[in-house]
Amino acid sequence: MELTGAEIITRFLKDEGVEYVFGYPGGAVLHIYDALYRQSDVKHVLTRHEQGAVHAADGYARSNGKPGVVLVTSGPGATNAVTGIATAYMDSIPMVVITGQVPTPLIGNDAFQEVDTVGITRSCVKHNFLVTDINSLVCTLKKAFTIATTGRPGPVVVDVPKDVTGFSTNYSYLESVEIRSYTQRYDPPAEQIKAAVEMVMESERPILYTGGGVILGNASIELTEFARMARIPVTNTSMGLGGYPATDPQFVGMLGMHGNYEANMAMHNTDLLIAVGARFDDRVTGNIEKFCPQARIIHIDVDPSSISKNVQVDLPIVGCVKEVLADMINLLQQSGGVDRERFNRWWSDIEEWRTEDCLSYDNGGGVIHPQYVLQQLYEVTHGDAYVVSDVGQHQMFAAQYYKFDQPRRWINSGGLGTMGFGLPAAMGAQFAHPDATVCTVTGDGSIQMNIQELATCKQFGLPIKVINLNNGYLGMVRQWQEFFYERRYSEVTLQAQDQPNFVKLAESYGHVGMQIVNPDDVRPALEEAMAMKERLVFMDFVTNPEENVYPMVPAGAGLNEMILV
């Protein structure tokens, strides 16, 4: 059949199985929006800002594993999307972003709303394309989805000039596509798997350090089986939370800058570090020269460029983490397994570190402590919510005090640390799981960066529960200024008289607003909000203004050099 470029895009998205497109219209994409109007298979979600559109697609992808899809116009439409694209890139989230471009004869002429989208996004995408020939449009779109979703996932930008969307050509869907020099299938030699299992059986103090690759690679079941079979303690990065059940006795908590004492001490004292789908981020390693000084390191990752990038490893294994772990399980079974008594002394050390009770806090003073809000949220939701966070102290409190037993329930901007991510990403998660409880944990600084998306929530009836931990500061920056800048609080104070009335603001968008100032009202407020299944509820918790996140590993310190109080 013969279709216009715009019709090809919408038809291709349908044939690719895309359910939602998140976007914002403009001149360069009007043909595409007209084509969307004339069909009903692909649903469009009109956000109130292009950054919100990309974050929404991101939250959709993180929560269900399907690629998020975005449509924005040229110029400022594309540049507004860059922060969201970079956020997805840093956390390896599958996404296809279709951007409009000025007509091909005008490219390079400084035309109205023209920017070099390919050049601007080159450093923060897995790949990008500029389509100048309508006959290559289908192939390019298929390449984009293939690249975005295979190997180590990531965002792909497809820049389409307006005239290309108006031209016509024959359309037929491509089931698959060959991409020269793009190989994403790695079969590690059996000798490497055998060597890894032998290293486990020889070790005395092993630990599994697992990251977002376990979530993205759908390897949670295999990780759990392997850890339990070998009786090895497990620690997750922030991106890996939920990859191993947080309520399991073998879980020692999150590691890193704000990681648990027992997790960081186990990492520092291990003799065998098994890294699975993790990238040795600086927030995890602390001072590289002090990182795991006694350990041999096995690194399993689908991305060969991540191995020995930050930390030199002893045994690299390039492959899908799900398949590698399954092979290790089989080999461990064939070998008779690990002597379960072998690690008794190691577990004794870990139990001793646990007695530090590093997440305990003083819940008195007649003020609301953010830790308490997160603990009550966990209890009220029975640990069964999708929890989406913004970036800051509230993010770390959520990671520390909400126990994630399942993958894809914890959604946060890990690599880029993007304030304003929470609310639009929660929208995407709610679209992906319309009957689920979706909560966004935010702060009075972060929420105002994309608060306009409350209008989108109203339009589509999204019953998100907003937990705003309002401390009157840009909390994480204030904490650093307290510790390292002698309390010189430079430009972090959000004066109460200058802040909006969040209750009235939520109500002005048509939602339910609550303000909670008394600790005794925290749980009742959460219960009341969760009972409103059809409404977005904005809960403004006025919290202790100078609460700090502990433990904390200062910059330049080792994981064993934590500030605990």
Side-chain angles (χ1 to χ4, degrees):
M1 68 185 79
E2 187 170 280
L3 301 175
T4 65
E7 292 167 337
I8 286 172
I9 290 171
T10 55
R11 180 58 183 268
F12 178 89
L13 294 177
K14 173 197 170 185
D15 292 343
E16 190 69 17
V18 172
E19 185 179 9
Y20 290 105
V21 172
F22 301 88
Y24 203 96
V29 288
L30 283 181
H31 292 330
I32 304 174
Y33 272 89
D34 186 59
L36 284 169
Y37 181 86
R38 291 184 280 110
Q39 57 85 56
S40 58
D41 297 299
V42 180
K43 304 176 185 68
H44 183 273
V45 176
L46 175 64
T47 60
R48 298 312 190 260
H49 192 285
E50 290 89 352
Q51 182 179 342
V54 187
H55 290 330
D58 187 321
Y60 176 88
R62 291 184 199 236
S63 66
N64 70 1
K66 300 177 182 178
V69 180
V70 179
L71 175 61
V72 296
T73 194
S74 63
T79 56
N80 282 347
V82 170
T83 298
I85 294 169
T87 300
Y89 177 72
M90 289 290 285
D91 291 344
S92 304
I93 306 305
M95 184 184 298
V96 174
V97 181
I98 300 171
T99 59
Q101 185 53 275
V102 300
T104 50
L106 297 181
I107 292 176
N109 289 351
D110 294 332
F112 177 66
Q113 291 192 330
E114 180 194 0
V115 297
D116 178 12
T117 301
V118 169
I120 288 171
T121 62
R122 183 171 286 119
S123 65
C124 60
V125 294
K126 191 175 178 185
H127 198 64
N128 56 21
F129 299 91
L130 172 63
V131 183
T132 57
D133 180 0
I134 189 174
N135 293 307
S136 66
L137 181 57
V138 172
C139 184
T140 301
L141 289 169
K142 188 63 182 180
K143 286 180 180 179
F145 276 86
T146 300
I147 293 169
T149 57
T150 55
R152 181 179 180 176
V156 177
V157 168
V158 182
D159 198 32
V160 188
K162 185 173 183 178
D163 56 333
V164 172
T165 63
F167 297 149
S168 297
T169 192
N170 290 327
Y171 169 79
S172 62
Y173 177 69
L174 285 176
E175 293 290 343
S176 62
V177 66
E178 289 288 332
I179 304 175
R180 185 166 57 90
S181 77
Y182 181 74
T183 302
Q184 295 295 298
R185 176 71 190 181
Y186 303 101
D187 296 306
E191 294 79 19
Q192 289 181 313
I193 306 296
K194 182 180 178 182
V197 172
E198 288 175 349
M199 290 170 71
V200 170
M201 298 180 73
E202 293 168 359
S203 67
E204 295 182 355
R205 303 185 307 279
I207 188 168
L208 279 156
Y209 149 55
T210 69
V214 171
I215 310 292
L216 297 167
N218 300 311
S220 298
I221 292 174
E222 289 77 11
L223 171 65
T224 303
E225 183 178 354
F226 177 75
R228 288 174 177 169
M229 180 184 298
R231 198 173 167 237
I232 299 176
V234 181
T235 181
N236 292 157
T237 66
S238 172
M239 291 301 301
L241 291 174
Y244 188 86
T247 55
D248 189 281
Q250 288 181 218
F251 184 62
V252 294
M254 183 176 70
L255 80 159
M257 178 171 283
H258 294 295
N260 285 11
Y261 181 79
E262 54 268 36
N264 284 346
M265 291 301 291
M267 287 287 289
H268 184 73
N269 289 278
T270 184
D271 68 351
L272 180 63
L273 177 62
I274 309 163
V276 185
R279 57 189 180 90
F280 294 88
D281 175 75
D282 61 286
R283 291 298 171 105
V284 162
T285 63
N287 188 326
I288 291 289
E289 295 181 0
K290 300 179 181 181
F291 180 69
C292 296
Q294 308 166 55
R296 293 190 295 171
I297 300 176
I298 301 169
H299 190 179
I300 306 167
D301 204 289
V302 74
D303 180 10
S305 71
S306 291
I307 296 179
S308 292
K309 179 179 181 179
N310 296 323
V311 174
Q312 192 67 36
V313 306
D314 298 279
L315 179 60
I317 302 179
V318 179
C320 172
V321 293
K322 183 182 184 75
E323 296 173 4
V324 172
L325 287 172
D327 289 343
M328 292 178 70
I329 290 168
N330 291 334
L331 195 55
L332 199 60
Q333 288 173 330
Q334 293 170 18
S335 64
V338 176
D339 179 2
R340 297 186 65 81
E341 305 299 314
R342 182 179 183 86
F343 303 142
N344 281 353
R345 184 173 178 180
W346 179 226
W347 275 109
S348 177
D349 290 341
I350 290 172
E351 293 305 326
E352 179 65 25
W353 292 323
R354 276 176 166 160
T355 63
E356 182 68 37
D357 195 14
C358 67
L359 296 184
S360 64
Y361 61 97
D362 181 2
N363 196 30
V367 296
I368 295 176
H369 295 269
Q371 303 95 316
Y372 179 69
V373 177
L374 269 302
Q375 287 177 322
Q376 292 303 302
L377 178 65
Y378 174 74
E379 292 184 12
V380 168
T381 60
H382 308 288
D384 194 33
Y386 288 84
V387 178
V388 187
S389 85
D390 263 305
V391 171
Q393 287 182 315
H394 54 271
Q395 177 188 25
M396 292 298 99
F397 287 132
Q400 290 175 330
Y401 291 92
Y402 199 101
K403 301 172 185 175
F404 297 95
D405 278 344
Q406 301 176 61
R408 300 191 184 279
R409 295 303 184 94
W410 167 239
I411 298 168
N412 78 122
S413 170
L416 197 65
T418 306
M419 294 175 67
F421 172 84
L423 179 60
M427 298 189 319
Q430 192 76 78
F431 275 111
H433 306 278
D435 299 324
T437 299
V438 177
C439 304
T440 184
V441 179
T442 185
D444 44 326
S446 282
I447 188 62
Q448 295 186 75
M449 288 203 171
N450 270 313
I451 202 165
Q452 75 284 340
E453 298 308 330
L454 286 174
T456 308
C457 294
K458 178 61 176 176
Q459 178 182 347
F460 291 92
L462 303 178
I464 295 165
K465 306 301 182 272
V466 180
I467 293 88
N468 184 41
L469 302 180
N470 186 345
N471 62 4
Y473 283 107
L474 302 178
M476 189 59 82
V477 183
R478 184 210 57 76
Q479 178 170 333
W480 278 66
Q481 290 176 342
E482 175 185 338
F483 287 2
F484 309 117
Y485 295 88
E486 299 177 342
R487 293 181 179 265
R488 292 189 293 274
Y489 293 163
S490 175
E491 304 303 324
V492 293
T493 305
L494 303 175
Q495 299 286 350
Q497 65 268 24
D498 300 325
Q499 291 280 68
N501 182 319
F502 286 110
V503 172
K504 290 183 178 180
L505 183 58
E507 290 173 347
S508 74
Y509 279 101
H511 303 302
V512 176
M514 301 178 179
Q515 186 179 70
I516 304 94
V517 298
N518 190 320
D520 293 337
D521 295 331
V522 170
R523 188 181 182 103
L526 287 167
E527 290 175 336
E528 181 182 356
M530 298 305 161
M532 288 186 256
K533 301 293 186 183
E534 306 300 322
R535 300 294 301 277
L536 183 148
V537 183
F538 193 112
M539 289 165 277
D540 184 32
F541 292 94
V542 179
T543 63
N544 187 27
E546 294 196 11
E547 196 82 48
N548 290 322
V549 182
Y550 296 107
M552 181 177 180
V553 178
L559 290 182
N560 63 325
E561 300 173 308
M562 289 164 274
I563 300 172
L564 297 178
V565 289

